[in-house]
Structure formats: C-alpha cells, structure tokens
Amino acid sequence: MRPGTDVTEHGLRQLLHEWDPIGVADDVHDEYDCMLAPLLQQLRDGADQAEIGDYLRHELEDHIGLDPLGLRPEAMACRVISWWAAADQAGGSSEG
C-alpha cells in the first residue's frame, strides 16, 4: 500500500470512524477527513505513538472543542501506529 493512496486514506478514515470521538460517523462520512493528510504525513515521517497521540489530543481540544479525557487519544494513537505497521508489512506503505 503506497502512502497517500486512496486505499491508505480509506483505511485511516475507517479507523477514525471507528473511534468517532464526536459520535457522528454514521451520519457524516467526511467529518474526520481534516485529520487524514496530517496523520499520513506524520506516519510517513516516522512519528511515534506519543507524537500521534499529541496530534489527536490537540485536534480534540483545539479543532473540535472536546475534552480529550475519556476519548483516549493515546489508545487511538496506538491503533493508528499498529495499522500503519501492518499496512507497511502487507504492502510496503513506507517510502524510502
């Protein structure tokens, strides 16, 4: 899977919809698309779980206006990192 492909974006979009911190993914299919490009870029650049968690926490607080407590951005960051590593093994999603 090449980074930035529709398949990669679709996989990350699916993860964000499963997390669904606002609770609208069933009704608004592009609600979290604003996070796709920044997350993919961070992953391509080798961001670790803490960096992804910081980004998600920032988005929850500053962009969406939610208190991240209970939304577990660190757990979501772990899922994102695991997904990226699996995609890399399955189809070479890392550039290099």
Side-chain angles (χ1 to χ4, degrees):
M1 192 176 349
R2 298 291 301 158
T5 65
D6 289 342
V7 173
T8 304
E9 287 183 10
H10 176 74
L12 184 54
R13 182 180 291 116
Q14 184 175 344
L15 278 179
L16 292 169
H17 279 229
E18 289 171 7
W19 183 40
D20 195 18
I22 303 174
V24 298
D26 289 339
D27 299 319
V28 185
H29 299 287
D30 64 352
E31 182 64 33
Y32 306 112
D33 282 6
C34 60
M35 293 188 218
L36 291 176
L39 280 170
L40 288 170
Q41 188 60 53
Q42 288 182 341
L43 291 164
R44 282 187 213 110
D45 291 345
D48 63 17
Q49 183 176 332
E51 291 169 310
I52 298 295
D54 287 345
Y55 170 76
L56 293 173
R57 188 177 315 98
H58 171 77
E59 286 298 295
L60 289 171
E61 290 177 331
D62 295 342
H63 181 80
I64 299 173
L66 295 174
D67 181 352
L69 187 64
L71 296 174
R72 304 183 60 220
E74 294 80 12
M76 181 57 182
C78 181
R79 289 187 66 198
V80 169
I81 293 290
S82 295
W83 165 81
W84 184 253
D88 185 34
Q89 283 194 333
S93 69
S94 64
E95 293 179 339

Coordinates of all heavy atoms in Angstrom, one line a residue:
M1 N 0.9 -1.2 0.0 CA 0.0 0.0 0.0 C 0.9 1.2 0.0 O 1.7 1.4 0.9 CB -0.9 0.0 1.3 CG -2.0 0.9 1.3 SD -3.1 0.8 2.7 CE -2.8 -0.6 3.5
R2 N 0.8 2.1 -1.0 CA 1.6 3.3 -1.1 C 0.9 4.4 -0.2 O -0.3 4.6 -0.3 CB 1.7 3.8 -2.5 CG 2.4 2.8 -3.4 CD 3.9 2.6 -3.1 NE 4.5 3.9 -3.3 CZ 5.7 4.2 -2.7 NH1 6.3 3.3 -2.0 NH2 6.2 5.3 -2.9
P3 N 1.8 5.2 0.5 CA 1.2 6.2 1.3 C 0.5 7.3 0.4 O 1.0 7.6 -0.6 CB 2.4 6.8 2.0 CG 3.6 6.2 1.4 CD 3.2 5.1 0.6
G4 N -0.6 7.7 0.9 CA -1.3 8.8 0.1 C -2.3 8.2 -0.9 O -3.0 8.9 -1.5
T5 N -2.3 6.9 -1.1 CA -3.2 6.3 -2.0 C -4.6 6.3 -1.4 O -4.8 6.5 -0.2 CB -2.8 4.8 -2.3 OG1 -3.0 4.0 -1.2 CG2 -1.4 4.7 -2.9
D6 N -5.6 6.1 -2.3 CA -7.0 6.0 -1.8 C -7.2 4.9 -0.8 O -7.9 5.0 0.1 CB -7.9 5.8 -3.0 CG -8.0 7.1 -3.9 OD1 -7.7 8.2 -3.4 OD2 -8.5 7.0 -5.0
V7 N -6.4 3.8 -1.0 CA -6.6 2.6 -0.1 C -6.0 3.0 1.3 O -6.7 2.7 2.3 CB -5.8 1.4 -0.7 CG1 -5.8 0.3 0.3 CG2 -6.4 1.0 -2.0
T8 N -4.9 3.7 1.3 CA -4.3 4.1 2.6 C -5.3 5.1 3.3 O -5.5 5.0 4.5 CB -3.0 4.8 2.4 OG1 -2.1 3.9 1.7 CG2 -2.3 5.2 3.7
E9 N -5.8 6.1 2.5 CA -6.7 7.1 3.1 C -8.0 6.4 3.6 O -8.5 6.7 4.7 CB -7.0 8.2 2.1 CG -5.9 9.1 1.9 CD -6.2 10.3 1.0 OE1 -7.4 10.4 0.6 OE2 -5.3 11.0 0.6
H10 N -8.4 5.5 2.8 CA -9.7 4.7 3.2 C -9.4 4.0 4.5 O -10.3 4.0 5.4 CB -10.1 3.8 2.1 CG -11.3 2.9 2.5 ND1 -12.6 3.4 2.6 CD2 -11.4 1.6 2.9 CE1 -13.4 2.5 3.0 NE2 -12.7 1.4 3.2
G11 N -8.3 3.3 4.7 CA -8.0 2.6 5.9 C -7.9 3.5 7.1 O -8.5 3.2 8.2
L12 N -7.3 4.6 7.0 CA -7.2 5.6 8.1 C -8.5 6.2 8.4 O -8.9 6.4 9.5 CB -6.1 6.6 7.8 CG -5.8 7.6 8.9 CD1 -5.5 6.9 10.2 CD2 -4.7 8.6 8.5
R13 N -9.3 6.5 7.3 CA -10.6 7.1 7.5 C -11.5 6.1 8.3 O -12.2 6.4 9.2 CB -11.3 7.4 6.2 CG -12.7 8.0 6.3 CD -13.3 8.3 5.0 NE -12.6 9.4 4.4 CZ -11.9 9.3 3.2 NH1 -11.9 8.1 2.6 NH2 -11.3 10.3 2.7
Q14 N -11.4 4.8 8.0 CA -12.1 3.8 8.7 C -11.8 3.7 10.2 O -12.6 3.6 11.0 CB -11.9 2.4 8.0 CG -12.7 1.3 8.7 CD -12.5 0.0 7.9 OE1 -12.0 -0.1 6.8 NE2 -12.9 -1.1 8.6
L15 N -10.5 3.8 10.5 CA -10.0 3.8 11.9 C -10.6 5.0 12.6 O -11.1 4.9 13.8 CB -8.5 3.9 12.0 CG -7.7 2.6 11.9 CD1 -6.2 2.9 11.9 CD2 -8.1 1.6 12.9
L16 N -10.6 6.2 12.0 CA -11.1 7.4 12.6 C -12.6 7.3 12.8 O -13.2 7.7 13.9 CB -10.8 8.7 11.8 CG -9.3 9.0 11.8 CD1 -9.0 10.1 10.7 CD2 -8.8 9.5 13.1
H17 N -13.3 6.7 11.9 CA -14.8 6.5 12.0 C -15.1 5.5 13.2 O -16.1 5.7 13.9 CB -15.4 6.0 10.7 CG -15.6 7.1 9.8 ND1 -16.8 7.3 9.1 CD2 -14.8 8.1 9.3 CE1 -16.7 8.4 8.3 NE2 -15.5 8.9 8.5
E18 N -14.3 4.5 13.3 CA -14.5 3.6 14.4 C -14.3 4.2 15.8 O -15.0 4.0 16.7 CB -13.5 2.4 14.3 CG -13.9 1.4 13.1 CD -12.8 0.4 12.9 OE1 -11.9 0.3 13.7 OE2 -13.0 -0.3 11.8
W19 N -13.3 5.1 15.8 CA -13.0 5.9 17.1 C -14.1 6.9 17.3 O -14.7 6.9 18.4 CB -11.7 6.6 16.9 CG -11.2 7.4 18.1 CD1 -11.3 7.0 19.4 CD2 -10.5 8.7 18.0 NE1 -10.7 8.0 20.2 CE2 -10.2 9.0 19.4 CE3 -10.2 9.5 17.0 CZ2 -9.6 10.2 19.7 CZ3 -9.5 10.7 17.4 CH2 -9.2 11.0 18.7
D20 N -14.5 7.6 16.3 CA -15.6 8.6 16.3 C -15.8 9.4 17.6 O -16.9 9.2 18.2 CB -16.9 7.8 15.9 CG -18.1 8.6 15.5 OD1 -17.9 9.8 15.2 OD2 -19.2 8.1 15.6
P21 N -14.9 10.2 17.9 CA -15.0 11.0 19.2 C -16.2 11.9 19.3 O -16.7 12.2 20.3 CB -13.7 11.7 19.2 CG -13.2 11.9 17.8 CD -13.7 10.6 17.1
I22 N -16.7 12.3 18.1 CA -17.9 13.2 18.1 C -19.2 12.4 18.1 O -20.2 12.9 18.6 CB -17.9 14.2 16.9 CG1 -16.6 15.0 16.9 CG2 -19.1 15.1 16.9 CD1 -16.5 15.8 15.7
G23 N -19.1 11.2 17.6 CA -20.3 10.4 17.6 C -21.2 10.6 16.4 O -22.4 10.5 16.4
V24 N -20.6 11.0 15.3 CA -21.4 11.4 14.1 C -21.0 10.6 12.8 O -21.5 10.8 11.7 CB -21.3 12.9 13.7 CG1 -21.8 13.7 14.9 CG2 -19.8 13.3 13.4
A25 N -20.1 9.6 12.9 CA -19.5 8.9 11.8 C -20.6 8.2 10.9 O -20.5 8.1 9.7 CB -18.5 7.9 12.2
D26 N -21.7 7.8 11.6 CA -22.8 7.1 10.8 C -23.5 8.1 9.9 O -24.1 7.7 8.9 CB -23.8 6.4 11.8 CG -23.2 5.2 12.4 OD1 -22.2 4.6 11.9 OD2 -23.7 4.8 13.5
D27 N -23.5 9.4 10.3 CA -24.2 10.4 9.5 C -23.4 11.3 8.6 O -23.8 11.8 7.6 CB -25.1 11.2 10.5 CG -26.1 10.4 11.3 OD1 -26.7 9.5 10.7 OD2 -26.2 10.7 12.5
V28 N -22.1 11.5 9.1 CA -21.3 12.5 8.4 C -20.0 11.7 8.0 O -19.1 11.5 8.9 CB -20.9 13.7 9.3 CG1 -20.1 14.7 8.5 CG2 -22.2 14.3 9.8
H29 N -19.9 11.3 6.8 CA -18.8 10.4 6.4 C -17.4 11.1 6.2 O -16.4 10.4 6.1 CB -19.2 9.6 5.1 CG -20.4 8.8 5.4 ND1 -20.4 7.6 6.1 CD2 -21.7 8.9 5.0 CE1 -21.6 7.1 6.2 NE2 -22.4 7.9 5.5
D30 N -17.4 12.4 6.1 CA -16.1 13.1 5.9 C -15.7 14.0 7.1 O -14.9 14.8 7.1 CB -16.2 14.0 4.7 CG -17.2 15.1 4.8 OD1 -18.0 15.1 5.7 OD2 -17.2 16.0 3.9
E31 N -16.4 13.7 8.3 CA -16.2 14.5 9.5 C -14.7 14.6 9.9 O -14.2 15.6 10.3 CB -17.0 14.0 10.6 CG -16.9 14.8 11.9 CD -17.4 16.3 11.7 OE1 -18.3 16.5 11.0 OE2 -16.8 17.2 12.4
Y32 N -14.0 13.5 9.8 CA -12.6 13.4 10.2 C -11.6 13.5 9.1 O -10.4 13.3 9.4 CB -12.4 12.1 11.1 CG -13.4 12.0 12.2 CD1 -14.4 11.0 12.1 CD2 -13.5 12.9 13.2 CE1 -15.4 10.9 13.1 CE2 -14.4 12.9 14.2 CZ -15.4 11.9 14.2 OH -16.3 11.8 15.2
D33 N -12.0 13.8 7.9 CA -11.1 13.9 6.8 C -10.0 15.0 7.0 O -8.9 14.9 6.4 CB -11.8 14.2 5.5 CG -12.5 12.9 4.9 OD1 -12.5 11.8 5.6 OD2 -13.0 13.0 3.8
C34 N -10.3 16.0 7.8 CA -9.3 17.0 8.0 C -8.1 16.5 8.7 O -7.0 17.1 8.7 CB -9.9 18.2 8.8 SG -10.5 17.7 10.5
M35 N -8.2 15.3 9.3 CA -7.1 14.7 10.0 C -6.3 13.7 9.1 O -5.2 13.4 9.5 CB -7.6 13.9 11.3 CG -8.2 14.7 12.3 SD -8.5 13.7 13.8 CE -10.0 14.4 14.3
L36 N -6.8 13.4 8.0 CA -6.2 12.4 7.2 C -4.8 12.8 6.7 O -3.8 12.1 6.9 CB -7.0 12.0 5.9 CG -8.3 11.3 6.2 CD1 -9.1 11.1 4.9 CD2 -8.1 9.9 6.9
A37 N -4.7 13.9 6.0 CA -3.4 14.3 5.4 C -2.3 14.6 6.5 O -1.2 14.1 6.4 CB -3.5 15.5 4.6
P38 N -2.7 15.3 7.6 CA -1.7 15.5 8.7 C -1.2 14.2 9.3 O 0.0 14.0 9.5 CB -2.4 16.4 9.7 CG -3.4 17.1 8.9 CD -3.9 16.1 7.9
L39 N -2.1 13.2 9.6 CA -1.8 12.0 10.2 C -0.9 11.1 9.2 O 0.1 10.6 9.6 CB -3.0 11.2 10.6 CG -3.7 11.6 11.9 CD1 -5.0 10.9 12.0 CD2 -2.7 11.3 13.0
L40 N -1.3 11.1 7.9 CA -0.5 10.3 7.0 C 0.9 10.9 6.8 O 1.9 10.2 6.7 CB -1.2 10.3 5.6 CG -2.4 9.4 5.6 CD1 -3.2 9.6 4.3 CD2 -2.0 7.9 5.8
Q41 N 1.0 12.2 6.8 CA 2.3 12.8 6.8 C 3.2 12.5 8.0 O 4.4 12.2 7.9 CB 2.2 14.4 6.6 CG 3.5 15.0 6.3 CD 4.2 14.5 5.0 OE1 3.6 14.5 4.0 NE2 5.4 14.1 5.1
Q42 N 2.6 12.6 9.1 CA 3.3 12.2 10.4 C 3.8 10.8 10.3 O 4.9 10.5 10.7 CB 2.4 12.5 11.6 CG 2.2 13.9 11.9 CD 1.4 14.1 13.2 OE1 0.7 13.2 13.6 NE2 1.5 15.3 13.8
L43 N 2.9 9.9 9.9 CA 3.3 8.5 9.8 C 4.4 8.3 8.8 O 5.4 7.6 9.0 CB 2.1 7.6 9.4 CG 1.0 7.5 10.5 CD1 -0.3 7.0 9.9 CD2 1.4 6.7 11.6
R44 N 4.3 8.9 7.6 CA 5.4 8.8 6.6 C 6.7 9.3 7.2 O 7.8 8.9 6.8 CB 5.0 9.6 5.4 CG 4.1 8.9 4.5 CD 3.9 9.7 3.2 NE 2.5 9.6 2.7 CZ 1.6 10.5 2.7 NH1 1.9 11.7 3.2 NH2 0.4 10.3 2.3
D45 N 6.6 10.4 8.0 CA 7.8 11.0 8.6 C 8.4 10.2 9.8 O 9.3 10.6 10.4 CB 7.5 12.4 9.0 CG 7.3 13.4 7.8 OD1 7.7 13.0 6.7 OD2 6.8 14.5 8.1
G46 N 7.7 9.1 10.2 CA 8.2 8.3 11.3 C 7.7 8.7 12.7 O 8.4 8.3 13.6
A47 N 6.6 9.4 12.7 CA 6.1 9.8 14.1 C 5.8 8.6 14.9 O 5.4 7.5 14.4 CB 4.8 10.6 13.9
D48 N 6.1 8.7 16.2 CA 5.8 7.6 17.1 C 4.4 7.8 17.8 O 3.7 8.7 17.5 CB 6.9 7.5 18.2 CG 7.0 8.7 19.1 OD1 6.1 9.5 19.2 OD2 8.1 8.8 19.7
Q49 N 4.1 6.8 18.6 CA 2.8 6.8 19.3 C 2.5 8.1 20.1 O 1.4 8.6 20.0 CB 2.7 5.6 20.2 CG 1.3 5.5 20.8 CD 1.2 4.2 21.6 OE1 1.8 3.2 21.3 NE2 0.3 4.2 22.6
A50 N 3.5 8.6 20.8 CA 3.4 9.8 21.6 C 3.1 11.0 20.7 O 2.2 11.8 21.0 CB 4.6 10.1 22.4
E51 N 3.8 11.1 19.5 CA 3.5 12.2 18.6 C 2.1 12.2 18.0 O 1.4 13.2 17.9 CB 4.6 12.2 17.5 CG 6.0 12.6 18.1 CD 7.1 12.3 17.0 OE1 7.1 11.2 16.5 OE2 7.9 13.3 16.9
I52 N 1.7 11.0 17.6 CA 0.4 10.8 17.1 C -0.7 11.1 18.2 O -1.7 11.8 17.9 CB 0.2 9.4 16.5 CG1 1.1 9.1 15.3 CG2 -1.3 9.2 16.1 CD1 0.9 10.0 14.1
G53 N -0.4 10.7 19.4 CA -1.4 11.0 20.5 C -1.4 12.4 20.8 O -2.5 13.0 21.0
D54 N -0.3 13.1 20.7 CA -0.3 14.6 20.9 C -1.1 15.3 19.8 O -1.9 16.2 20.1 CB 1.1 15.1 20.9 CG 1.9 14.8 22.2 OD1 1.3 14.4 23.2 OD2 3.1 14.9 22.2
Y55 N -1.0 14.9 18.6 CA -1.7 15.5 17.5 C -3.2 15.2 17.7 O -4.0 16.2 17.6 CB -1.3 14.9 16.1 CG -2.2 15.3 15.0 CD1 -2.1 16.6 14.5 CD2 -3.2 14.4 14.5 CE1 -3.0 17.0 13.5 CE2 -4.0 14.8 13.6 CZ -4.0 16.1 13.1 OH -4.9 16.5 12.1
L56 N -3.6 14.0 18.0 CA -5.0 13.7 18.2 C -5.6 14.5 19.4 O -6.7 15.0 19.3 CB -5.2 12.2 18.4 CG -4.9 11.3 17.2 CD1 -5.0 9.9 17.6 CD2 -5.9 11.6 16.0
R57 N -4.9 14.6 20.5 CA -5.3 15.4 21.6 C -5.5 16.8 21.2 O -6.5 17.5 21.6 CB -4.3 15.2 22.8 CG -4.8 15.9 24.1 CD -3.8 15.7 25.2 NE -3.3 14.3 25.3 CZ -2.1 13.9 24.9 NH1 -1.3 14.8 24.3 NH2 -1.7 12.7 25.0
H58 N -4.5 17.4 20.5 CA -4.6 18.8 20.0 C -5.9 19.0 19.2 O -6.6 19.9 19.3 CB -3.4 19.1 19.3 CG -3.5 20.5 18.6 ND1 -3.4 21.7 19.2 CD2 -3.7 20.8 17.3 CE1 -3.5 22.7 18.4 NE2 -3.7 22.1 17.2
E59 N -6.1 18.0 18.3 CA -7.3 18.1 17.4 C -8.6 18.1 18.2 O -9.5 18.9 17.9 CB -7.3 17.0 16.3 CG -6.3 17.2 15.2 CD -6.6 18.5 14.4 OE1 -7.7 18.6 13.8 OE2 -5.8 19.4 14.5
L60 N -8.7 17.2 19.2 CA -9.8 17.1 20.0 C -10.1 18.4 20.8 O -11.2 18.9 20.8 CB -9.7 16.0 21.0 CG -9.8 14.5 20.4 CD1 -9.4 13.5 21.5 CD2 -11.1 14.2 19.9
E61 N -9.1 19.0 21.4 CA -9.2 20.2 22.2 C -9.4 21.4 21.3 O -10.3 22.2 21.6 CB -8.0 20.3 23.1 CG -7.9 19.3 24.2 CD -6.6 19.5 25.0 OE1 -5.6 20.0 24.5 OE2 -6.7 19.1 26.2
D62 N -8.5 21.6 20.4 CA -8.4 22.9 19.7 C -9.3 23.0 18.4 O -9.8 24.0 18.1 CB -7.0 23.3 19.4 CG -6.1 23.5 20.6 OD1 -6.7 23.8 21.7 OD2 -4.9 23.5 20.5
H63 N -9.4 21.9 17.7 CA -10.2 21.9 16.5 C -11.6 21.6 16.7 O -12.5 22.2 16.2 CB -9.5 21.0 15.5 CG -10.2 20.9 14.1 ND1 -10.0 21.9 13.2 CD2 -11.1 20.1 13.6 CE1 -10.8 21.6 12.1 NE2 -11.5 20.5 12.4
I64 N -11.8 20.5 17.5 CA -13.2 20.0 17.7 C -13.8 20.6 18.9 O -15.0 20.8 19.0 CB -13.2 18.5 17.8 CG1 -12.7 17.9 16.4 CG2 -14.6 17.9 18.0 CD1 -12.5 16.4 16.5
G65 N -13.0 21.0 19.9 CA -13.5 21.7 21.1 C -14.0 20.7 22.1 O -14.9 21.0 22.9
L66 N -13.4 19.5 22.2 CA -13.8 18.5 23.2 C -12.7 18.3 24.2 O -11.5 18.5 23.9 CB -14.0 17.1 22.5 CG -15.2 17.0 21.5 CD1 -15.1 15.7 20.8 CD2 -16.5 17.3 22.2
D67 N -13.1 17.9 25.4 CA -12.2 17.5 26.4 C -11.7 16.0 26.1 O -12.5 15.1 26.0 CB -12.9 17.5 27.8 CG -11.9 17.1 28.9 OD1 -10.8 16.7 28.7 OD2 -12.4 17.2 30.1
P68 N -10.4 15.8 25.8 CA -9.9 14.5 25.4 C -10.0 13.4 26.5 O -10.0 12.3 26.2 CB -8.5 14.8 25.0 CG -8.1 16.0 25.8 CD -9.3 16.8 25.9
L69 N -10.3 13.8 27.8 CA -10.4 12.9 28.8 C -11.5 11.9 28.5 O -12.7 12.4 28.2 CB -10.6 13.6 30.2 CG -10.6 12.7 31.4 CD1 -9.2 12.1 31.6 CD2 -11.0 13.5 32.6
G70 N -11.3 10.7 28.5 CA -12.3 9.7 28.2 C -12.4 9.3 26.7 O -12.9 8.3 26.3
L71 N -11.8 10.1 25.8 CA -11.8 9.8 24.4 C -10.5 9.0 24.0 O -10.4 8.5 22.9 CB -11.9 11.1 23.6 CG -13.2 11.8 23.8 CD1 -13.2 13.2 23.0 CD2 -14.4 11.0 23.3
R72 N -9.6 9.0 24.9 CA -8.4 8.1 24.8 C -7.6 8.3 23.5 O -7.4 7.4 22.8 CB -8.8 6.7 25.0 CG -9.5 6.5 26.3 CD -9.9 5.0 26.6 NE -8.7 4.2 26.7 CZ -8.6 3.0 26.2 NH1 -9.7 2.4 25.6 NH2 -7.5 2.3 26.2
P73 N -7.1 9.5 23.3 CA -6.3 9.7 22.1 C -5.0 8.9 22.1 O -4.6 8.5 21.0 CB -6.0 11.2 22.1 CG -6.2 11.7 23.5 CD -7.2 10.8 24.1
E74 N -4.5 8.5 23.2 CA -3.3 7.7 23.3 C -3.6 6.3 22.8 O -2.8 5.7 22.1 CB -2.7 7.7 24.7 CG -2.1 9.0 25.2 CD -3.2 10.0 25.7 OE1 -4.4 9.5 25.9 OE2 -2.9 11.1 25.8
A75 N -4.8 5.8 23.2 CA -5.2 4.4 22.7 C -5.4 4.5 21.2 O -5.1 3.5 20.5 CB -6.4 4.0 23.4
M76 N -6.0 5.5 20.7 CA -6.2 5.7 19.3 C -4.9 5.8 18.5 O -4.7 5.2 17.5 CB -7.1 6.9 19.0 CG -7.4 7.1 17.5 SD -8.2 5.6 16.8 CE -8.3 6.1 15.1
A77 N -3.9 6.5 19.1 CA -2.6 6.6 18.5 C -2.0 5.2 18.4 O -1.3 4.9 17.4 CB -1.7 7.5 19.3
C78 N -2.1 4.4 19.4 CA -1.6 3.0 19.3 C -2.3 2.3 18.2 O -1.6 1.5 17.4 CB -1.9 2.3 20.7 SG -1.3 0.6 20.8
R79 N -3.5 2.4 18.0 CA -4.2 1.7 16.9 C -3.7 2.2 15.5 O -3.5 1.4 14.6 CB -5.7 2.0 17.0 CG -6.4 1.2 18.1 CD -7.9 1.4 18.0 NE -8.4 0.7 16.8 CZ -9.6 0.9 16.3 NH1 -10.4 1.8 16.9 NH2 -10.0 0.2 15.2
V80 N -3.5 3.5 15.4 CA -3.0 4.1 14.2 C -1.6 3.6 13.9 O -1.3 3.2 12.7 CB -3.0 5.7 14.3 CG1 -2.3 6.3 13.1 CG2 -4.5 6.2 14.3
I81 N -0.7 3.6 14.9 CA 0.6 3.1 14.7 C 0.6 1.6 14.3 O 1.3 1.2 13.4 CB 1.5 3.3 15.9 CG1 1.7 4.8 16.1 CG2 2.8 2.6 15.8 CD1 2.6 5.5 15.1
S82 N -0.2 0.8 14.9 CA -0.3 -0.6 14.6 C -0.8 -0.8 13.2 O -0.3 -1.7 12.5 CB -1.2 -1.3 15.6 OG -0.7 -1.3 16.9
W83 N -1.9 -0.1 12.8 CA -2.4 -0.1 11.5 C -1.4 0.2 10.5 O -1.2 -0.5 9.5 CB -3.6 0.8 11.4 CG -4.0 1.0 10.0 CD1 -4.8 0.2 9.2 CD2 -3.7 2.2 9.2 NE1 -5.0 0.8 8.0 CE2 -4.3 2.0 7.9 CE3 -3.0 3.4 9.4 CZ2 -4.2 2.9 6.9 CZ3 -2.9 4.3 8.4 CH2 -3.5 4.1 7.2
W84 N -0.6 1.3 10.7 CA 0.4 1.7 9.8 C 1.5 0.6 9.6 O 2.0 0.3 8.5 CB 1.0 3.0 10.2 CG 2.0 3.6 9.3 CD1 3.4 3.7 9.4 CD2 1.8 4.2 8.0 NE1 4.0 4.3 8.4 CE2 3.0 4.6 7.5 CE3 0.6 4.5 7.3 CZ2 3.1 5.3 6.2 CZ3 0.7 5.1 6.1 CH2 1.9 5.5 5.6
A85 N 1.9 0.0 10.7 CA 3.0 -1.0 10.7 C 2.4 -2.2 9.9 O 3.2 -2.8 9.1 CB 3.4 -1.4 12.1
A86 N 1.2 -2.6 10.1 CA 0.6 -3.7 9.4 C 0.5 -3.5 7.9 O 0.7 -4.3 7.1 CB -0.8 -4.1 10.0
A87 N 0.1 -2.2 7.6 CA 0.0 -1.8 6.2 C 1.4 -1.9 5.5 O 1.5 -2.3 4.4 CB -0.6 -0.5 6.1
D88 N 2.4 -1.5 6.3 CA 3.7 -1.5 5.7 C 4.2 -2.9 5.4 O 4.7 -3.2 4.4 CB 4.7 -0.8 6.8 CG 6.1 -0.6 6.2 OD1 6.3 -0.4 5.0 OD2 7.0 -0.8 7.0
Q89 N 3.9 -3.8 6.3 CA 4.3 -5.2 6.1 C 3.5 -5.8 5.0 O 4.0 -6.6 4.2 CB 4.1 -6.0 7.4 CG 5.2 -5.8 8.4 CD 5.1 -6.8 9.5 OE1 4.1 -7.4 9.8 NE2 6.3 -7.1 10.1
A90 N 2.2 -5.5 4.9 CA 1.4 -6.1 3.9 C 1.7 -5.6 2.5 O 1.6 -6.3 1.5 CB -0.1 -5.8 4.2
G91 N 2.0 -4.3 2.4 CA 2.2 -3.8 1.0 C 3.2 -2.7 0.8 O 3.2 -2.0 -0.1
G92 N 4.1 -2.5 1.8 CA 5.2 -1.5 1.6 C 4.7 -0.1 1.7 O 4.9 0.7 0.8
S93 N 4.0 0.3 2.7 CA 3.4 1.6 2.8 C 4.5 2.7 3.2 O 4.1 3.9 3.1 CB 2.3 1.7 3.8 OG 2.7 1.5 5.1
S94 N 5.7 2.3 3.5 CA 6.6 3.3 3.9 C 7.4 3.7 2.6 O 7.8 2.9 1.8 CB 7.6 2.9 5.0 OG 8.3 1.8 4.5
E95 N 7.8 5.0 2.5 CA 8.6 5.5 1.5 C 10.1 5.4 1.9 O 10.4 5.6 3.1 CB 8.3 6.9 1.1 CG 6.9 7.1 0.6 CD 6.6 8.6 0.3 OE1 7.2 9.4 0.8 OE2 5.7 8.8 -0.6
G96 N 10.9 5.2 1.0 CA 12.3 5.1 1.4 C 13.3 5.0 0.4 O 13.4 4.8 -0.7

